[in-house]
Amino acid sequence: MLTRRTLMKGALVAGAFAGGGLAGRFGGIANARAAMPLVARRSEALITDKGPTRGVMTYGDAEIPPVLRMRRGELFNLRLDNRLDEPTTIHWHGLRIDNRMDGVPFLTQPYVYEGDGFDYAFTPPDAGTFWYHPHCNTLEQMGRGLAGLIVVEDPADPVFDAEIVLNLRDWRLGGDGQFIAQFKPRDAARAGTFGTVRTANWRQSPQYDAPAGGLVRLRLAATDVTRILALSVEGADALVIAADGNPAAERFAPDHLMIGPGQRLDLVLRMPDTEGAVAALKDLRGTRPATLATFRAVGASLKRNIADLPALAANPLPEPDLSAATELPFILSASAEERPKDGICGSLGYNFWAINKVPWADDTGDPTAPLAEMKAGKTYIFNVENPTPQVHPLHLHGLVFKPMNSNKQAIRPHFSDTYLILPDEKVQLALVADNPGDWVFHCHIIEHQKTGMTSYVRVT
Ligand code: C2O
Ligand code: CU
């Protein structure tokens, strides 16, 4: 049972040093051994200064979906209670868990109908920053709010002076603060349809307090359905300590660092020494730079040294054996095949994209054959080519890969679940197929995902 105490405790951890009344709306639920209920429901939220936005979808009791806290190697139990007026599921993005818990309708579980529930139970093997969202009518459900962060803790991780968790996303709202059409077909065939209001934790440019001269762990996820970010921190030193859940081999400053929908970053932020000084997280992509959130130094300086931060605890990741790898081709392309206009998980009614020439018929599946069959324990190299003019954040469920050998960008050797492939890029993603099941492989620009750029691979 979710008691007031566990709620309070979660809120305190999640919202540590979240000033300006933000801690309260932030929510936060601590791990529990008994299944905790998580309600998916319709609500309203104060996102703009035009009054509440109606028709929002959220999880839990607070305005914004709670940060779910788990512990590496410990059982996590949650009962999804669907009080929406349509079917849904939950996918645990980046967690290498049992296929039956993966949340993909038909492929791994039945839909969870309105009024119904589903028990998710799994043990996360890796510590880090992850996120959760539906895998049904995804553009609508995520566009309206259903996306929350997951923090998997490792007791061996270094202690920070504060932690701030940021859910970075946009909303497609009109001038009156109410939802407008989620997408335009001609944009879905290009970079995707952009939101109009940018937020961090459902607030426009919120400010958080953190101890002056302290080391802050900033955990962020790009949960938007469309927008790719180029992140920089101004007014404080910052280093990337983990990306897509896994510790970075070498720390580096985020300098226009591109991350796409689905990707996460953990930064260490060394707060300014002077009380009241403010640092900013910015998105510098495109022509209109945006301040996503700011951080204000409070108190006397703790005078920490960013170089003194110990390493994060390592995750038990499977190292690919390149000497015995099988190569598999994955070619992204445009497509214009006719498609059915309906599906239980909401078809957008178009095909614009395909993988290996097959446009996927949506979340609903009725799956054709998998694009590849892999043997458990063996190493594979995905040779992915993007001859399209768009950038695509490609996400693989259930497994982690190591990007290598790109013709377009310098690769930092690093385990990940989402790779941002550039136009005309060819990249190799090496992985060990160590988790049996059917695993979806798709673009995380949801309009691309829902108009064909989805498929799956099978591990037996
Ligand atoms: Cu983040 Cu298939 O999902
Ligand atoms: Cu895409």
Side-chain angles (χ1 to χ4, degrees):
M1 263 310 286
L2 184 63
T3 64
R4 188 177 151 74
R5 225 182 119 248
T6 54
L7 238 185
M8 290 294 296
K9 192 168 158 252
L12 281 177
V13 179
F17 292 97
L22 279 153
R25 50 182 270 128
F26 200 79
I29 292 182
N31 195 358
R33 281 181 202 280
M36 67 170 71
L38 186 70
V39 175
R41 62 184 178 94
R42 289 243 174 209
S43 71
E44 18 187 78
L46 267 181
I47 297 162
T48 70
D49 54 11
K50 302 278 164 20
T53 299
R54 295 180 298 275
V56 163
M57 293 180 182
T58 194
Y59 293 115
D61 306 324
E63 190 169 56
I64 168 170
V67 175
L68 296 179
R69 298 216 160 231
M70 309 176 185
R71 282 226 162 174
R72 172 153 71 145
E74 281 183 22
L75 179 66
F76 180 81
N77 262 322
L78 178 144
R79 179 165 182 83
L80 167 65
D81 176 0
N82 181 8
R83 293 192 207 150
L84 302 170
D85 38 20
E86 58 182 75
T88 191
T89 61
I90 298 181
H91 169 59
W92 313 90
H93 184 125
L95 297 187
R96 300 185 297 134
I97 54 178
D98 193 302
N99 195 241
R100 289 166 304 172
M101 296 292 124
D102 196 46
V104 180
F106 280 143
L107 218 52
T108 75
Q109 71 162 89
Y111 310 112
V112 184
Y113 283 96
E114 48 270 44
D116 219 339
F118 191 87
D119 291 309
Y120 291 99
F122 51 79
T123 302
D126 304 315
T129 304
F130 303 92
W131 66 300
Y132 63 104
H133 62 76
H135 229 280
C136 182
N137 202 11
T138 325
L139 185 65
E140 182 81 6
Q141 295 187 7
M142 288 173 63
R144 288 180 178 270
L146 293 180
L149 271 76
I150 296 170
V151 170
V152 184
E153 295 169 348
D154 187 321
D157 267 351
V159 176
F160 291 76
D161 298 309
E163 177 172 286
I164 297 168
V165 181
L166 295 179
N167 182 341
L168 302 176
R169 60 165 299 157
D170 299 3
W171 303 80
R172 259 184 76 73
L173 307 178
D176 58 355
Q178 301 305 320
F179 282 103
I180 55 177
Q182 288 283 354
F183 86 107
K184 298 183 206 147
R186 42 174 279 174
D187 286 346
R190 299 177 189 169
T193 310
F194 286 88
T196 57
V197 176
R198 311 193 54 177
T199 59
N201 294 338
W202 295 27
R203 280 280 198 257
Q204 299 179 63
S205 223
Q207 182 163 91
Y208 296 90
D209 286 352
L215 295 181
V216 177
R217 184 172 189 161
L218 194 61
R219 299 177 181 263
L220 61 89
T223 67
D224 189 51
V225 293
T226 307
R227 189 181 298 276
I228 293 160
L229 308 164
L231 296 176
S232 291
V233 171
E234 292 177 5
D237 285 339
L239 295 172
V240 173
I241 55 173
D244 299 332
N246 293 309
E250 276 173 37
R251 295 174 180 174
F252 57 96
D255 177 16
H256 293 69
L257 180 60
M258 280 198 12
I259 65 166
Q263 296 194 285
R264 292 87 62 209
L265 283 181
D266 286 42
L267 305 176
V268 55
L269 197 66
R270 201 285 188 180
M271 291 297 292
D273 290 300
T274 320
E275 167 127 47
V278 171
L281 175 70
K282 297 210 163 167
D283 170 25
L284 302 175
R285 192 157 189 257
T287 47
R288 291 174 55 193
T291 297
L292 301 176
T294 58
F295 313 98
R296 187 177 61 140
V298 295
S301 177
L302 298 177
K303 298 218 163 67
R304 305 273 191 239
N305 185 343
I306 196 167
D308 291 343
L309 183 73
L312 299 182
N315 285 329
L317 302 161
E319 195 60 51
D321 174 8
L322 298 178
S323 68
T326 304
E327 302 195 20
L328 300 168
F330 292 91
I331 302 172
L332 311 180
S333 67
S335 167
E337 263 175 50
E338 277 291 311
R339 75 177 309 164
K341 297 262 186 240
D342 232 348
I344 293 180
C345 275
S347 167
L348 298 189
Y350 299 87
N351 272 332
F352 295 124
W353 304 99
I355 303 178
N356 290 356
K357 300 216 170 82
V358 183
W360 174 260
D362 246 332
D363 291 341
T364 53
D366 184 17
T368 49
L371 274 195
E373 305 217 23
M374 305 192 285
K375 285 270 160 278
K378 294 238 173 306
T379 294
Y380 293 84
I381 296 176
F382 287 16
N383 289 321
V384 190
E385 291 183 37
N386 177 20
T388 81
Q390 308 299 342
V391 183
H392 302 285
L394 290 175
H395 171 47
L396 178 61
H397 289 206
L399 303 165
V400 282
F401 52 73
K402 236 182 182 175
M404 327 182 296
N405 304 333
S406 163
N407 65 336
K408 278 288 219 188
Q409 40 183 328
I411 301 278
R412 291 190 172 88
H414 178 260
F415 284 97
S416 169
D417 52 69
T418 309
Y419 184 78
L420 196 59
I421 191 167
L422 302 175
D424 300 318
E425 182 171 354
K426 294 184 187 178
V427 70
Q428 296 194 302
L429 308 177
L431 61 89
V432 180
D434 63 346
N435 197 0
D438 287 344
W439 300 111
V440 183
F441 184 47
H442 66 83
C443 179
H444 224 291
I445 290 175
I446 306 298
E447 286 155 272
H448 295 178
Q449 174 192 354
K450 299 267 311 168
T451 61
M453 199 176 279
T454 300
S455 195
Y456 73 106
V457 295
R458 175 169 291 162
V459 179
T460 53

